[in-house]
Amino acid sequence: MNEFGSRGIRQVFTLYSRATNSFGVFVFFQSSIEVASAHESGLVSEIEGAALQALEEVGRGPKSSIDVRFEFDSDENVQMEFAGDYYRRVR
């Protein structure tokens, strides 16, 4: 959030599963249009790279071996499909 908050990100959730030693990173923009724009502009790749770098820096291993699932969505979708409940969305 600190690095990319000014580029349209509304919420970020990072989840860890001890059972599978894997992470889920959920990045939410305000609108679906912003999600599409982030993919087109390369912002998604920048975010993925920064998250992997941060995990590597805290000792989770080399970037290439860290199991991370990234999802990019919008607050707009959370409001429409999940009645604004981010917890239901990331489950």
Side-chain angles (χ1 to χ4, degrees), residues 24-77:
V25 177
F26 298 83
V27 179
F28 295 91
F29 291 86
Q30 183 63 38
S31 70
S32 298
I33 291 171
E34 289 176 321
V35 175
S37 177
H39 281 282
E40 291 171 11
S41 71
L43 179 56
V44 163
S45 295
E46 288 181 55
I47 293 167
E48 290 173 349
L52 288 168
Q53 181 68 35
L55 288 168
E56 183 179 63
E57 288 173 2
V58 296
R60 290 297 181 172
K63 288 187 259 187
S64 61
S65 70
I66 304 170
D67 184 9
V68 181
R69 183 183 90 221
F70 290 94
E71 290 193 31
F72 296 86
D73 203 347
S74 67
D75 178 67
E76 177 181 77
N77 184 57

